[in-house]
Amino acid sequence: MATADLDTYISAKVASGEFRSEDEFLREAALVYRELEERYRNLRTTIQDRIRQAESGDIAPLDVESIKAEGRRRLAASKATD
C-alpha cells in the first residue's frame, strides 16, 4: 500500500470517530503489530519444538480412527443434550 493510501486510510479512521487522532491510530497499530510479533515468535517456537519432538520420536503418529470415534462420541453427546 502506498504512503498516500495509508494516509487516506488513517484519515478516514480518524474522521469516522473510531480514533481521536492519527497518533492514537498509530499507537493502536503499534500495539497490534507487537502482539502479532509475539504470536509469531510463540508459534515458531511451538513448531520448532514439535518438529524436534517428532524427529526424536516423542510424538506418536495420529490415530485417525480414535480421533473419529471421539468426534462421534462428542457429537452424540451434544445431540443428547439438545
Side-chain angles (χ1 to χ4, degrees):
M1 189 178 265
T3 301
D5 293 337
L6 286 174
D7 289 343
T8 300
Y9 178 75
I10 294 168
S11 294
K13 290 293 188 180
V14 172
S16 74
E18 192 171 342
F19 297 92
R20 288 182 295 238
S21 67
E22 290 181 7
D23 284 342
E24 182 183 10
F25 176 89
L26 294 173
R27 274 192 300 279
E28 183 67 24
L31 289 171
V32 169
Y33 186 78
R34 185 168 61 183
E35 181 181 327
L36 288 174
E37 283 182 319
E38 179 71 20
R39 288 181 182 187
Y40 177 74
R41 273 193 303 277
N42 292 340
L43 182 58
R44 280 188 63 86
T45 299
T46 299
I47 290 169
Q48 289 168 345
D49 289 346
R50 297 302 184 263
I51 289 170
R52 278 192 288 278
Q53 290 172 344
E55 290 173 344
S56 68
D58 291 339
I59 297 177
L62 287 177
D63 180 353
V64 175
E65 292 307 316
S66 174
I67 293 168
K68 287 179 183 178
E70 176 64 15
R72 288 184 189 109
R73 185 194 64 74
R74 288 184 183 191
L75 181 60
S78 73
K79 287 182 178 179
T81 60
D82 287 340

